[in-house]
Amino acid sequence: MNRQKGTKNKTKYLTTSFEWPEEDCIQKVTKYGNLLNHTQAEKDRWFTEKHPTIHPISTDRIAAGSIDHAVCSICFNILLDPVACTTCENPFCKRCIQEWLIKNPSCPYACVRFQERRCPPVIVTMLSKLKIKCYYQQNGCPDILNYEALKQHEINCDYEIKKCRGCNTNFIKRDIIEHENICGFIKIRCQQCGVTYERHTEHGKLDCLLNRQIQLEEKVEQLQQENKLLREKNEFILQKLKDRFGIQPPK
């Protein structure tokens, strides 16, 4: 395995107490967005902003298994879709290293140039042995899952927070349908007159008849306008024919 000049054994840099091998690399970390001195909440917020469809796997969600060598040295969360540098073999989240390379073509470990390779099998094996708490554990989800099953579970998790389409109140997913069935601010479309109204407002038969009358009056007015335009167009064409060919319009 190749090592860069001035670096120590690579395994030291894959622990959760991450150390950068060179002073120059620390400056790059600060410049290009690494969260070396930030709190875990700030790291998670940064990751969510970069990858809004993926939830970060913070180290405090690990229920079982070793996280040594399983932490991304850019976002400091558990590796997601990991890839590695061909030169130093250090792993990163695929999207994290892609963001890094937009601003800096070199590897975060100060390799001359980053070239992507598949994550080493030993890292993949370690990830597969992790037991991870669901991202929605704070909402009550009790599930602890394998690394491979986590993403799909969180997409379908019943404890995800959803906003009511009427009152904008937050509910967990499994309760939102029951709430929206009775929420007074949900908008309903009348099947008779087509008017949309909030459930808490009254919409009786009289309201429906009045709305239909208004709609019919508007339709009549629209048809009258269209009829007027057609007559004007017809008169214009007939006048053109008369001027050009001397054709008299029919009586």
Side-chain angles (χ1 to χ4, degrees), residues 164-167 179-188 197-202:
C164 171
R165 293 177 293 116
C167 62
H179 166 77
E180 288 187 346
N181 286 336
I182 60 173
C183 178
F185 294 95
I186 288 290
K187 293 183 178 180
I188 301 173
Y197 61 96
E198 291 183 348
R199 183 181 280 129
H200 68 85
T201 60
E202 294 185 2

Side-chain angles (χ1 to χ4, degrees), residues 18 21 54 69 86 90 130 154 170 189 205 219 225:
F18 180 78
I54 302 175
H69 316 308
T86 301
N90 287 306
L130 294 178
E154 290 181 349
N170 288 334
R189 187 175 186 273
K205 291 183 178 180
K219 185 66 175 178
Q225 290 292 332

Side-chain angles (χ1 to χ4, degrees), residues 147-160:
Y147 180 87
E148 294 83 357
L150 183 67
K151 185 184 294 186
Q152 190 60 40
H153 166 82
E154 290 181 349
I155 290 173
N156 301 314
C157 183
D158 287 337
Y159 290 85
E160 180 184 1

